[in-house]
Amino acid sequence: MWTAWCVAALSVTAVCGVRQETNTVLRVTKDVLSNAISGNLQRSNALHSALGEVPVGVGGVPYNDFHVRNVPPKYPNGHQLGGNYKYGRIETNDNTAQLGAKYRYGEILESDGNVRDLRRGDYRSAENAYGGHRDLRRYKSAEGVATVGRLHRRELRPGEIPPGVATGALGPGGLLGTGGMLAADGILSGQGGLLGGGGLLGDGGLLGGGGVLGVLGEGGILSTVQGITGLRIAELTLPRVSVRLLPGVGVYLSLYTRVAINGKSLIGFLDIAVEVNITAKVRLTMDRTGYPRLVIERCDTLLGGIKVKLLRGLLPNLVDNLVNRVLANVLPDLLCPIVDVVLGLVNDQLGLVDSLVPLGILGSVQYTFSSLPLVTGEFLELDLNTLVGEAGGGLIDYPLGRPATTPRQKMPELPPMGDNTNSQLAISANFLGSVLTLLQKQGALDIDITDGMFEELPPLTTSTLGALIPKVFQQYPESQPLTIRIQVPNPPSVSLQKDKALVKVFATSEIVVSQPNDVETTICLLDVDTELLAMFSVEGDKLMIDAKLDKTSLNLRTSNVGNFDVGLMEVLVGKIFDLAFLPAMNAVLGSGVPLPKILNIDFSNADIDVLEDLLVLSA
């Protein structure tokens, strides 16, 4: 029964493609991709995954090195920020009083490679400098040596100091001696001296440790930045997405967001507000299963508008630059994975195209990718092979009912996309023919029409037929009910022309009289060629097809009442097809043809154009 086809539950059947031909083409602009990415960002937990503690100095490498190459080695000593080694690794001294110092304060490098600490007590006494309580032979005076004439002055022994030097510049009260100007208690090195403790350049002085310029030393701004701990991303605003198509490659993706980071430093709590532009070069590829995939080739974060704020106010630009450099190393590992997650969701949507979608209870439709998508500067083009399968699992290989030796018609060229069009779906006549072929093979177009089934029809009796064909009245003088048995033995054909979609259906109409005792007698068998005009619309995610009768032509194949002018029955048969056959056929088509589910595209308000061999939906 016709009602059974329409009301029964949906069923899904597995379809395996054996051909990779294109009969459906989908084009989308960058705005569709942008909206798909934005929608996935809103619906997913990708942003929440980035909130939390910032893993500073964990010994990683930049995101792109990890993403493109192998897993990075781990480096120790990665507890502090601002290092100039691989991401997360720095080398520090215990004393950082000197900006950029390689050695500790008061240390010098000997010629043998050893480091001498000048702050030790045995170097601060001038007495010791002369060797008073140490090895006197180290600084040996030439005094006491036999006087030699000028012309016969002997050479100094190793370690000897010429007379006068030891007792002059190096002696007590001399330039470098005890109490001298440059000695430990002199004007430069003594307590309160220029270089001494509390002096201009000394510890605690104007330029020394703890002084005005000491902000760059131990406990100063530099070490404060290096001493930042407990960094956490507290807030991440919903990114603004922009996409640029890269012809032949893929897309260039940009996510603009604002990040709020909290932390602690040596001088108070720290708030960092930074604007971040996440940029990624994404290549469109095809995996081994034949699905397209968006794969990140490189991801970077560009920082701008960075503000570092302590409880006591804004810090200088120097710290902004330092934090900027630090975050530039840290944030890619935190934010680029967001792009990975979002693109993974988009890839999942691309994979949904391959899902089996029921076509009523008669079969299913499956869209598969027939080739690698094409990327131009204007759109992304996806070539689809639409497979229509029967409930039993067989494919509708030849939708127009032609022999297997006849090749299918190739997919025509698509028209240019309009200025206000973001999505364009082109469906070939082959695909539409496959749908109708499925209906024909399943017997969904066959119908038995009896008297009283359709109120709009005249009484289907031998009296009605006898008024047109006198021989029927002569053979059946008493009115008997008739049954009109319509069958479609061959698949319908679909042709698309400019602004016109035509469906040709060849059917047979057998007129049977029902006699007492359930005895049926065939009066005649007619061949009926019908031409139907197809109208298209979109409801939800389905293409709706509604057919209207354009014209019919009859041919008498057999008759049990003798020959008669078949033209006399054209009006009656026309009414039967218009008021009975077509409503039943449209009821079956009323389940709709599933459109590809991809990137959340909505064609419900699409403009529909019928072109030569193409049905085009533009949204």
Side-chain angles (χ1 to χ4, degrees), residues 485-504:
R485 188 164 295 153
I486 299 177
Q487 294 183 339
V488 180
N490 299 322
S493 64
V494 179
S495 63
L496 300 177
Q497 304 170 3
K498 177 64 175 176
D499 299 328
K500 184 178 181 180
L502 193 64
V503 179
K504 293 183 179 181

Side-chain angles (χ1 to χ4, degrees), residues 31-269:
D31 293 334
V32 174
L33 292 175
S34 179
N35 292 335
I37 294 173
S38 298
N40 284 316
L41 279 172
Q42 292 177 351
R43 293 186 296 268
S44 69
N45 294 323
L47 295 180
H48 296 285
S49 64
L51 300 180
E53 185 173 353
V54 178
V56 177
V58 294
V61 296
Y63 170 83
N64 293 296
D65 291 340
F66 173 81
H67 190 73
V68 177
R69 302 182 181 89
N70 297 325
V71 178
K74 293 186 177 182
Y75 298 94
N77 192 17
H79 304 295
Q80 303 177 23
L81 303 178
N84 56 354
Y85 293 86
K86 286 190 174 183
Y87 164 59
R89 183 183 182 188
I90 66 171
E91 183 175 327
T92 62
N93 297 306
D94 294 336
N95 189 312
T96 55
Q98 296 176 343
L99 180 62
K102 185 175 182 181
Y103 304 99
R104 297 176 179 174
Y105 174 70
E107 293 179 343
I108 65 172
L109 180 65
E110 294 281 15
S111 61
D112 58 0
N114 295 322
V115 177
R116 181 190 302 174
D117 191 347
L118 300 181
R119 298 173 295 178
R120 293 176 52 186
D122 53 359
Y123 283 94
R124 293 189 176 182
S125 171
E127 181 180 30
N128 289 338
Y130 300 131
H133 299 288
R134 304 189 308 168
D135 188 359
L136 297 178
R137 293 174 296 179
R138 183 166 186 177
Y139 295 102
K140 186 176 181 180
S141 173
E143 292 185 269
V145 180
T147 305
V148 182
R150 285 191 169 195
L151 298 178
H152 300 84
R153 181 175 298 174
R154 69 175 178 82
E155 296 292 334
L156 294 177
R157 297 175 183 176
E160 290 185 342
I161 300 176
V165 176
T167 58
L170 301 180
L175 178 64
L176 301 177
T178 303
M181 180 174 64
L182 300 181
D185 298 327
I187 63 173
L188 293 181
S189 301
Q191 184 66 27
L194 180 63
L195 299 181
L200 176 64
L201 299 179
D203 189 21
L206 176 65
L207 302 181
V212 174
L213 296 186
V215 293
L216 300 180
E218 184 175 6
I221 292 177
L222 180 60
S223 60
T224 299
V225 174
Q226 290 181 336
I228 293 176
T229 59
L231 285 180
R232 294 182 61 85
I233 294 182
E235 184 179 359
L236 192 64
T237 62
L238 185 65
R240 185 172 68 243
V241 180
S242 63
V243 173
R244 178 165 57 90
L245 296 176
L246 300 177
V249 178
V251 299
Y252 185 81
L253 178 62
S254 177
L255 305 178
Y256 172 81
T257 184
R258 292 184 177 89
V259 183
I261 303 176
N262 299 332
K264 294 182 292 184
S265 67
L266 297 179
I267 56 177
F269 290 100

Side-chain angles (χ1 to χ4, degrees), residues 531-549:
E531 291 188 2
L532 313 177
L533 295 178
M535 310 296 293
F536 303 97
S537 62
V538 177
E539 293 183 8
D541 58 354
K542 294 182 178 180
L543 176 68
M544 311 304 293
I545 305 175
D546 184 71
K548 294 183 178 180
L549 183 63

Side-chain angles (χ1 to χ4, degrees), residues 259-463:
V259 183
I261 303 176
N262 299 332
K264 294 182 292 184
S265 67
L266 297 179
I267 56 177
F269 290 100
L270 189 66
D271 289 331
I272 301 174
V274 59
E275 298 176 358
V276 184
N277 192 26
I278 311 170
T279 59
K281 181 182 179 183
V282 181
R283 180 173 292 276
L284 183 59
T285 63
M286 214 165 193
D287 62 17
R288 296 178 179 178
T289 61
Y291 298 147
R293 286 290 181 266
L294 294 169
V295 180
I296 296 179
E297 284 195 345
R298 182 170 184 82
C299 180
D300 298 289
T301 56
L302 304 178
L303 308 183
I306 184 171
K307 292 182 181 180
V308 183
K309 187 177 182 180
L310 288 167
L311 292 180
R312 62 184 63 180
L314 292 175
L315 291 178
N317 291 333
L318 172 63
V319 178
D320 287 356
N321 294 334
L322 291 173
V323 175
N324 191 327
R325 186 180 64 220
V326 169
L327 295 181
N329 288 331
V330 174
L331 291 182
D333 269 358
L334 297 175
L335 301 183
C336 284
I338 295 178
V339 183
D340 268 332
V341 173
V342 173
L343 291 183
L345 296 175
V346 175
N347 288 333
D348 291 342
Q349 289 183 340
L350 293 175
L352 289 176
V353 174
D354 195 49
S355 302
L356 289 170
V357 184
L359 185 60
I361 65 171
L362 305 178
S364 62
V365 173
Q366 182 180 23
Y367 294 90
T368 61
F369 293 95
S370 58
S371 62
L372 181 66
L374 172 67
V375 183
T376 71
E378 299 177 354
F379 53 80
L380 170 65
E381 183 174 293
L382 304 173
D383 293 339
L384 304 177
N385 179 32
T386 309
L387 303 176
V388 178
E390 298 181 77
L395 293 180
I396 307 299
D397 288 331
Y398 302 96
L400 302 186
R402 293 190 294 262
T405 56
T406 304
R408 289 186 177 184
Q409 185 177 2
K410 292 184 178 181
M411 187 72 179
E413 293 292 332
L414 273 68
M417 296 184 69
D419 295 336
N420 298 323
T421 300
N422 290 324
S423 304
Q424 186 182 64
L425 179 64
I427 300 174
S428 69
N430 282 341
F431 171 45
L432 298 176
S434 297
V435 174
L436 295 179
T437 299
L438 173 65
L439 302 182
Q440 180 269 328
K441 284 192 172 183
Q442 293 290 325
L445 301 182
D446 299 340
I447 182 175
D448 289 349
I449 305 171
T450 60
D451 184 32
M453 182 180 294
F454 296 92
E455 296 180 356
E456 297 86 353
L457 292 177
L460 296 181
T461 62
T462 55
S463 298

Side-chain angles (χ1 to χ4, degrees), residues 487-563:
Q487 294 183 339
V488 180
N490 299 322
S493 64
V494 179
S495 63
L496 300 177
Q497 304 170 3
K498 177 64 175 176
D499 299 328
K500 184 178 181 180
L502 193 64
V503 179
K504 293 183 179 181
V505 179
F506 171 77
T508 61
S509 178
E510 184 181 9
I511 303 176
V512 179
V513 58
S514 299
Q515 296 180 351
N517 301 324
D518 295 330
V519 177
E520 293 184 348
T521 303
T522 300
I523 295 178
C524 62
L525 179 64
L526 305 177
D527 292 336
V528 184
D529 286 310
T530 64
E531 291 188 2
L532 313 177
L533 295 178
M535 310 296 293
F536 303 97
S537 62
V538 177
E539 293 183 8
D541 58 354
K542 294 182 178 180
L543 176 68
M544 311 304 293
I545 305 175
D546 184 71
K548 294 183 178 180
L549 183 63
D550 185 24
K551 61 182 179 180
T552 60
S553 62
L554 305 181
N555 179 56
L556 180 61
R557 180 184 294 188
T558 62
S559 174
N560 291 328
V561 293
N563 292 329

